[in-house]
Amino acid sequence: MKTLAVNLGVRSYPIHIGEGLLRKPELITDHIRGRQVLVVTNETIAPLYLDTIRGVLNGFDLASVILPDGEQYKNIDTLNSVFTSLLEHRFNRRCTLVALGGGVVGDITGFAAACYQRGVAFLQLPTTLLAQVDSSVGGKTGVNHPLGKNMIGAFHQPGCVVIDTDTLDTLDQRQLAAGFAEVIKYGLIHDARFFTWIEQNIEQLKARDKLSLAYAIEKSCTIKAEIVAADERESGQRALLNLGHTFGHAIETGTGYGNWLHGEAVAAGMLMAADLSARHQWLPRSDVARIENLLQCAGLPTSPPAGMDEARFMELMAIDKKVLDGGLRLVLLKAIGTAVVTGDFSSALLSQTLTRAA
Ligand code: NAD
Ligand code: GLY
């Protein structure tokens, strides 16, 4: 087992990474506050892993809530069903919520924990690659609004993150690929050598080689933990973690939540960001080709769906958390391994990127 730390003073917490960790009670129980525990999961994950967690939490005053599965259910109504469960079980403010699932379950559970009685404890047990390398770490929680992705939420850090890499055995290949998008993102924004390592190991990763996956998860979490520790509430460099996300969130909202996976939309969005960077002469075209090739090898889309034309992109991108004083800001690349957040780009060149994409 490897243990990393997210260093945030009194809100610091460990990230444990390894095989079979959901069967190690102390990793989870050491971080539970009080006796009341609500496990939040969904209808797909419950039959796979809920009994294991129930066994580990034997002895606590335990309840569970099973949500419908899908990005289209990451909304206020589903959030409310978690509150209803907490209230029906008379949970008090010393309760702990446990998120067992992918990013959708994690984001909803964390937000429920941030709101319930003005804030209770929660733990992350991520079961998708995407959640293991990104969403379970850093304390961004929330739900979607029909007009904008992740627009309703809060920063609320978990008490620990326990990544049992065995859970990836039951994940389908499309969902695994969606996780690769975020892994590739870390190479692009922060670490050119890691990007090269992914290029060299993408076939092993796709074949679910345990050592390669464990290294990719550990490296991704190390980069994310470092960025979050430096800028917990995204007043600066944390925004780099949004490479491809302004375009990607527009694709997710524009195509209807759940049709394009988050990782797929981010992949297409990262290539759009690379294309725009090249149009500004910041990134050589040969690097754009490298990025496109890696995304394709990973099994990810590299262009947005038909129907997402320039007008639709512009309308949807205007609803983005990086918009300040009405001005759009984007994460763009200065090189593979170096990203910037900037509003200083040419709208004519953006138009070319969006038109080429349509
Ligand atoms: P997801 O939570 O929808 O999970 C994907 C699918 O895999 C679901 O059908 C789920 O039921 C299933 N699943 C989960 N674990 C499984 C397992 N072990 N075996 C079999 N099936 C399993 O999607 P995701 O890709 O995990 O997360 C995407 C969400 O995360 C988006 O809503 C995105 O906005 C959010 N996100 C949040 C952050 C953050 O910092 N909070 C970062 C990145 C993404
Ligand atoms: N996934 C973006 C962030 O955590 O900041």
Side-chain angles (χ1 to χ4, degrees):
M1 179 178 89
K2 286 274 171 57
T3 299
L4 309 172
V6 183
N7 293 312
L8 290 168
V10 290
R11 292 183 306 289
S12 297
Y13 53 94
I15 306 170
H16 302 297
I17 306 167
E19 296 174 35
L21 299 194
L22 289 188
R23 295 177 190 282
K24 298 206 166 158
E26 69 285 358
L27 294 182
I28 299 169
T29 55
D30 280 358
H31 299 277
I32 287 180
R33 210 189 299 159
R35 300 302 308 160
Q36 297 176 318
V37 180
L38 181 75
V39 181
V40 183
T41 189
N42 77 18
E43 59 200 1
T44 305
I45 301 150
L48 297 169
Y49 303 111
L50 185 54
D51 279 350
T52 304
I53 297 307
R54 279 202 181 111
V56 161
L57 296 175
N58 187 23
F60 285 90
D61 177 2
L62 190 64
S64 55
V65 57
I66 298 177
L67 307 178
D69 184 3
E71 184 74 35
Q72 65 274 35
Y73 298 107
K74 186 176 151 180
N75 58 30
I76 291 280
D77 290 341
T78 308
L79 177 72
N80 202 37
S81 72
V82 179
F83 295 141
T84 301
S85 185
L86 286 161
L87 289 163
E88 281 175 352
H89 289 95
R90 305 283 183 269
F91 271 32
N92 60 48
R93 63 194 325 179
R94 268 181 60 77
C95 69
T96 300
L97 276 61
V98 174
L100 174 67
V104 169
V105 166
D107 282 10
I108 295 172
T109 308
F111 191 33
C115 300
Y116 187 64
Q117 300 200 16
R118 301 200 179 88
V120 297
F122 88 111
L123 315 181
Q124 287 274 16
L125 310 182
T127 60
T128 63
L129 180 63
L130 188 138
Q132 294 179 355
V133 298
D134 193 352
S135 63
S136 64
V137 175
K140 277 191 182 175
T141 72
V143 295
N144 302 327
H145 187 280
L147 295 180
K149 168 98 181 141
N150 290 342
M151 276 292 154
I152 319 295
F155 287 99
H156 189 55
Q157 300 294 342
C160 74
V161 179
V162 178
I163 299 175
D164 184 340
T165 53
D166 286 347
T167 58
L168 299 180
D169 293 348
T170 52
L171 196 65
D172 71 35
Q173 206 63 21
R174 185 179 171 200
Q175 296 292 348
L176 192 74
F180 293 146
E182 303 283 11
V183 175
I184 292 167
K185 174 188 79 179
Y186 292 113
L188 286 173
I189 63 169
H190 195 77
D191 191 332
R193 282 177 58 192
F194 183 45
F195 184 87
T196 303
W197 180 89
I198 305 166
E199 287 181 313
Q200 290 165 347
N201 290 275
I202 189 65
E203 293 308 325
Q204 289 92 312
L205 290 166
K206 280 164 67 182
R208 298 165 188 257
D209 172 66
K210 292 259 181 198
L211 280 178
S212 307
L213 279 173
Y215 178 75
I217 294 166
E218 185 191 334
K219 187 79 186 165
S220 299
C221 287
T222 302
I223 295 172
K224 180 141 190 191
E226 190 185 313
I227 292 174
V228 168
D231 180 21
E232 182 182 8
R233 295 205 161 218
E234 198 168 304
S235 48
Q237 66 159 292
R238 183 165 180 170
L240 300 179
L241 292 168
N242 286 319
L243 175 68
H245 284 55
T246 302
F247 300 110
H249 284 169
I251 292 170
E252 287 187 82
T253 309
T255 53
Y257 298 128
N259 289 313
W260 272 53
L261 302 181
H262 177 71
E264 293 171 341
V266 165
M270 289 195 298
L271 200 68
M272 294 172 76
D275 176 76
L276 182 55
S277 306
R279 287 178 196 277
H280 286 86
Q281 317 282 326
W282 295 343
L283 192 69
R285 275 284 157 202
S286 55
D287 280 355
V288 182
R290 268 179 82 186
I291 298 165
E292 183 167 16
N293 184 48
L294 179 55
L295 293 170
Q296 282 172 351
C297 287
L300 289 161
T302 48
S303 53
M308 283 298 295
D309 60 16
E310 181 182 0
R312 188 79 175 121
F313 262 114
M314 289 307 288
E315 176 195 347
L316 291 166
M317 292 197 314
I319 302 177
D320 182 89
K321 291 190 287 309
K322 287 184 296 305
V323 170
L324 285 183
D325 302 327
L328 186 61
R329 293 184 310 140
L330 293 169
V331 184
L332 297 176
L333 294 171
K334 292 282 179 168
I336 288 178
T338 308
V340 288
V341 188
T342 180
D344 193 14
F345 55 82
S346 148
S347 42
L349 295 179
L350 173 61
S351 171
Q352 287 175 18
T353 293
L354 296 176
T355 316
R356 180 178 170 271

